[in-house]
Amino acid sequence: MNAVLIAVALSLVSAVAYAAAAVAQERLAAGSPASGALRLLGSGAWWWSVGLNASAALLHVVALRYGPLTVVQPLGALTLVAAVPLGARMAGRRVAAAEWKGTALTLLGLGALLVTASGPAPDDVLSVPEALAVAGATAALIGVLSRPGARPGLRHATASGVASGVASALTQTVTVAATDRTGPLLSLQVVGVALLVAAFAAGGLLLSQTAYRGGLGGPLAMVTLANPLAAAVIGLSLLGERLQGGPAGVLLALAGAGLACWGVILLSRQAPRQEPADDDHPVAAVLALGPDSATAEPAWVPRPHDPGHLTTATR
C-alpha cells in the first residue's frame, strides 16, 4: 500500500480517538472549578481521557513515519468533524444544519490541501540545534499566550495547538532518526528530542484541558487550526517539505485553507455547553454510545445559560 495512504488511514483513526478524548475532557472541565486543575490528577475519568489521547498520539506517531507533516497535520481537523456529532449525540440533540455545512466545507478544504501536500515519505530531520531553537521559540510563544488576560480559553487553546503541532514535528524527527539505521538507536538526537516531545505533548494536553472550561467548539476549533499551522511552518521551513503543483498548487492550497477555515468557524458555533450529572463517567459515556442510546435519557443535563461562558470563536 502507498505510504501516504497508510498515513491518511492512521490519521483518520487517530482523529476519532482524539475527538472522543476531547469530548470527555470538556465534560470534565465543565464540572471543574477554575482552581481545580490538580484535582484532575486524582480523577479516574481524566486518566481514561489521557489514555484515549495517548492511543491517538501513538497512531499519529506511526502516521508521521509514513507521511509528511503537510499531509498528516491537516487531517487533525477531522478531530473537530468527529467531535461535533459525538458531542451532540451525548447531549441528546441533533446536529444542526450549520454544523453539517461546516463538516462538508472542512472536508472539501482538507481534500484540496491533501492534493497539494501529498509527497514522498519523510526522510529529513531536525538537527539538535534546530530542535532546541524551535523548542525555545515555542516555549516563549506559549508563555505569551498563557498570560493572564481576556479570553483565556481561546488563547490557551491556541497555545495547546502550537504545542501539539511542534510536538508532532519533533516526533517525526525522533521516528525517522530512530529507524533510518544509520546511527545508534538511542543517540543524543533521539533521546534529547524525545524529551522535548514529552514536554510539549504534556503541556498541550494540560493547556487544552484548561481551554475547554470555555466550552468545546471555540477552543477545539482554535486547537485544530493552530496545530497544523505550527507543524507546516516547521515542515516547509526546516524539513524541506514542499507543496505540489507549483503556483497552481499554491492557489489550490490557499483555496482549500480558506474553505477549511470557513468550515471550522461554522463548526465552532456549538450549542451551549452541557454539564455531566454527578453519577456519570464522562469517558464511559463517550465509549458506550450505541444504536439504542439515541432513545435513552440524555446523560448530560443542560447547563443554565451564562453569557460569561465563551462557546464560539469570534472573529
Side-chain angles (χ1 to χ4, degrees):
M1 184 182 292
N2 182 276
V4 174
L5 291 179
I6 295 175
V8 169
L10 291 170
S11 297
L12 292 177
V13 180
S14 175
V16 173
Y18 272 129
V23 173
Q25 280 185 276
E26 190 272 338
R27 300 300 176 182
L28 287 166
S32 175
S35 60
L38 292 178
R39 290 173 49 196
L40 294 172
L41 298 178
S43 168
W46 188 77
W47 284 108
W48 273 104
S49 71
V50 171
L52 282 172
N53 264 306
S55 299
L58 180 61
L59 292 168
H60 186 75
V61 167
V62 180
L64 285 171
R65 181 62 187 91
Y66 288 98
L69 279 170
T70 46
V71 169
V72 174
Q73 289 307 117
L75 288 171
L78 294 177
T79 297
L80 184 61
V81 174
V84 168
L86 181 59
R89 185 76 178 275
M90 291 181 64
R93 65 176 179 85
R94 294 181 179 275
V95 179
E99 291 174 319
W100 286 124
K101 182 178 179 181
T103 299
L105 289 172
T106 302
L107 290 174
L108 286 174
L110 283 172
L113 287 172
L114 284 173
V115 168
T116 59
S118 298
D123 56 9
D124 199 3
V125 297
L126 295 174
S127 65
V128 174
E130 287 175 336
L132 292 175
V134 168
T138 303
L141 179 59
I142 290 174
V144 172
L145 292 171
S146 302
R147 73 189 188 283
R151 296 179 180 173
L154 293 182
R155 287 190 289 104
H156 280 87
T158 304
S160 174
V162 170
S164 299
V166 170
S168 294
L170 296 175
T171 296
Q172 188 176 71
T173 288
V174 172
T175 56
V176 173
T179 58
D180 65 359
R181 304 185 183 186
T182 60
L185 179 62
L186 297 179
S187 64
L188 175 63
Q189 182 186 34
V190 171
V191 174
V193 176
L195 291 175
L196 291 175
V197 169
F200 282 115
L205 177 64
L206 293 175
L207 285 165
S208 67
Q209 182 69 62
T210 302
Y212 290 151
R213 292 198 187 104
L216 180 65
L220 185 55
M222 293 303 296
V223 171
T224 301
L225 287 172
N227 186 317
L229 179 60
V233 168
I234 295 173
L236 294 172
S237 62
L238 296 176
L239 295 178
E241 297 182 4
R242 295 289 181 268
L243 297 176
Q244 308 298 309
V250 172
L251 290 176
L252 181 59
L254 290 175
L259 282 175
C261 288
W262 186 10
V264 166
I265 290 171
L266 291 176
L267 284 170
S268 70
R269 296 171 182 171
Q270 298 276 347
R273 188 176 64 197
Q274 308 288 320
E275 184 173 299
D278 292 340
D279 57 348
D280 285 323
H281 189 297
V283 179
V286 172
L287 298 179
L289 288 175
D292 299 330
S293 61
T295 58
E297 191 69 22
W300 311 105
V301 296
R303 185 184 186 92
H305 178 67
D306 179 1
H309 285 292
L310 177 63
T311 57
T312 60
T314 57
R315 293 292 182 270

